[in-house]
Each structure stands twice: as structure tokens, then as C-alpha cells.
Amino acid sequence: MGFSVSASTAVIFAGLFLALGIFYPAMANSYERVQAADADQADRALEQANTDIRLDDITVTGNQLEVTLTNNGSTSLTVSDTDLLVNGTYIQRSELDTTVTDVDGNDDSATDLWLPGETLAITYDTTETVDRVRIVTEHGVSVSEEV
Amino acid sequence: MASVSVSHLIIFIASLVVAAGVAGTLTTGVERVSNAVEDGSLDVSQQVRTDIDIVSDPSSPSIDSSDNLTVHVRNTGSQGIFIQPESIDMVINGDFVPNSGFTVTDANGDRSTARTGDVMAIEIDDSYIDGNGDGTTGNRLYITINSDEEVYEFRY
């Protein structure tokens, strides 16, 4: 009788250890996965809060629209991720010509980087009258203005 | 004496069988729960990573000559979104828009996945939009992608 109790207790404890061995890695992996996603979201929220753009000027010369913006925040932005909407219509990125002017006044139309303090000029050939312009950059930060 | 040993042996075997049964049930149950938790965490992490933003201008909605509304949505999260109606749930003015009621395309090409910074164009059939084009009727569009919700309100 005495040995039966010890043996069955040993089997149950072995089962408990096995169960814990299965449970722990699953919980640890799950927690880390969600934690990493959370940290990523916090990073994005911080970058969004640090991002700010200012609309300096909108000029329409003939059928060419030129929008000048300044990166007023403290994050570097991507020129090719900056979108233009004219009268509510989305303009494809391939149709935009961009020039970044750095803080020393040097123009660069090939760069994809728009750093804090730099000015971005977007030109677009339009056939319609421009009433309203909206610019959306990374993290969904946007400015819009009536012309 | 022999009968005592035999009965002890039977009790010993029975107790082992019961203990093994309990341990087996316990580990199976825990394994099942562990798998479910792991699946759940994958879903939750993808939902946390998904973030969208409506690019379209609420002041001048993009409505074409056949009265279809186009809304542009940018992926601002770190999770790719498949460019297909199944990825998007939409409610406009309280009415659910079925997958047949709108089309979704890549706004800058013909890719099938919107990565971070990519923009999708969602074209909604005119039958879901209230108003006759004089700019006095308010509309409210509610877009949900992987539990991330955005609201777009405009007048038509």
C-alpha cells in the first residue's frame, strides 16, 4: 500500500513537471511577441508625435502646381512616402517631382531623405484649377490648405 | 500470504493507471491551452502592429463622374496588409458594405500587399453614399482593418 502511494505521487508530479514545461515556453513566447508589438507601437507613436510639417507656400504657375513644405519636426521623413492630394484627388507618387533644399540652401532632386529643417518642394503638372491641396507624410501627419 | 501480495500488486497497478491517467489528461489539457495562447498572441501582436490612417481630404472627397467614392488609406503600422476586399470591413452611415460593394487597389502600382507607407485606394459603390452632390448631406465611413478603426466623415 505504501509503495503504491509513492509511485502514483511520483507519476502525478512527473506529469505536473511536463505540463509546466509545455506551458512556460508557450507563455513566455506569447508574452514576448505581444510585448515586442507593443514596444513597436510605442515607438511609432513617439515618432508620430515628433513629426511635424509646415506648409510654406502654394503657387500655381500656368498649369504647374508647386507646394513648398518645411520639416518642422525632429524626425527624418521619406520623400517618396509623401503624398499629394489636389482637390481631394490622390496623385500617384510617380507623377510628382520633388526637390529637397537643405539648411545651407543646396538643392537635391534625387534624394529620398527629408531631414528636420529642410524644405521640400513638390511640383505637379495639373490640368484643372487647384482649389485645395493636402499633403500627407509618414505616420499620417498631414497639412491641408485652400488655394 | 500469497493472496495479500496479489491484492497489493493489483492496487499498485490500479494506482499507477489512475495516476498516469490524471497526468496524461493534465498535460493534454495544458498543451491545448498553450497552443491556443500562442495562436492568440500571434493575433494580438498582429493587431497591435496594424495601424492605418485615412489620407483622403474630408473637405473635398474624391467622387468620380459615376458617383463612386474613392478613399485612400495609408498603412502606418509595421504589419503588411493584403490588398483585397477580405482584409477590410466597412460600415457607411450604419450600413455594412459587403465585399462586392467596393474594390481595393494599390494607389501607386499593382502590388498585392500594402507595406509600411504604402497607400491603398478603396472605391466604394455610389449606392452606399447618401446625398445628391450638393455638399449638404453628411456621410460617415467607418473602416476596420485587423481591428484598427478609422472614421472618415464628409459631405456630399
Side-chain angles (χ1 to χ4, degrees):
Chain A
M1 186 66 189
F3 188 64
S4 304
V5 173
S6 318
S8 50
T9 309
V11 170
I12 286 178
F13 269 95
L16 275 176
F17 275 117
L18 196 64
L20 196 73
I22 295 168
F23 194 60
Y24 177 74
M27 288 308 280
N29 282 342
S30 305
Y31 177 74
E32 270 172 33
R33 195 177 286 152
V34 176
Q35 196 65 24
D38 260 340
D40 211 64
Q41 192 189 36
D43 275 352
R44 283 204 309 274
L46 181 69
E47 281 203 25
Q48 187 180 38
N50 279 329
T51 303
D52 189 19
I53 55 172
R54 185 183 67 211
L55 189 60
D56 294 329
D57 194 23
I58 305 169
T59 51
V60 184
T61 325
N63 60 356
Q64 194 178 60
L65 166 73
E66 182 170 352
V67 184
T68 318
L69 302 135
T70 302
N71 181 347
N72 228 8
S74 56
T75 52
S76 62
L77 301 171
T78 312
V79 173
S80 61
D81 273 355
T82 304
D83 295 308
L84 173 71
L85 286 93
V86 177
N87 303 337
T89 308
Y90 182 82
I91 311 298
Q92 285 213 340
R93 288 168 183 170
S94 54
E95 291 179 44
L96 305 176
D97 285 317
T98 54
T99 307
V100 173
T101 309
D102 70 14
V103 283
D104 298 325
N106 304 313
D107 289 350
D108 188 349
S109 56
T111 184
D112 201 27
L113 270 184
W114 180 21
L115 302 176
E118 294 184 343
T119 307
L120 171 71
I122 303 174
T123 52
Y124 167 66
D125 290 327
T126 176
T127 48
E128 53 183 325
T129 320
V130 179
D131 296 321
R132 198 174 160 81
V133 167
R134 182 176 165 98
I135 291 100
V136 186
T137 189
E138 278 183 87
H139 311 295
V141 174
S142 62
V143 283
S144 49
E145 201 167 284
E146 300 282 339
V147 178
Chain B
M1 275 312 274
S3 65
V4 174
S5 306
V6 170
S7 57
H8 272 195
L9 187 67
I10 290 170
I11 289 169
F12 173 67
I13 291 170
S15 67
L16 272 193
V17 168
V18 170
V22 169
T25 315
L26 185 79
T27 42
T28 317
V30 166
E31 197 183 353
R32 219 173 270 167
V33 170
S34 302
N35 284 338
V37 166
E38 206 146 346
D39 279 358
S41 78
L42 197 67
D43 284 350
V44 170
S45 69
Q46 286 181 351
Q47 284 168 4
V48 171
R49 284 179 190 279
T50 306
D51 202 356
I52 54 163
D53 190 71
I54 292 181
V55 169
S56 298
D57 195 344
S59 303
S60 50
S62 172
I63 294 177
D64 65 12
S65 51
S66 46
D67 289 343
N68 293 338
L69 168 75
T70 305
V71 180
H72 287 85
V73 174
R74 174 196 276 264
N75 180 359
T76 52
S78 56
Q79 173 77 29
I81 300 168
F82 286 119
I83 303 180
Q84 56 186 29
E86 287 77 12
S87 311
I88 303 164
D89 291 324
M90 262 193 301
V91 173
I92 184 160
N93 303 324
D95 294 325
F96 181 74
V97 183
N99 289 348
S100 56
F102 65 95
T103 56
V104 53
T105 49
D106 179 8
N108 292 292
D110 54 359
R111 274 174 293 189
S112 57
T113 311
R115 305 204 178 281
T116 308
D118 287 357
V119 177
M120 295 183 279
I122 303 172
E123 191 177 338
I124 306 161
D125 194 75
D126 66 319
S127 56
Y128 297 98
I129 299 153
D130 289 345
N132 51 12
D134 59 4
T136 55
T137 314
N139 283 270
R140 188 180 156 90
L141 172 66
Y142 200 77
I143 296 183
T144 309
I145 297 179
N146 211 353
S147 295
D148 191 53
E149 297 145 355
E150 292 293 329
V151 177
Y152 180 63
E153 287 168 314
F154 62 97
R155 277 196 288 266
Y156 180 55

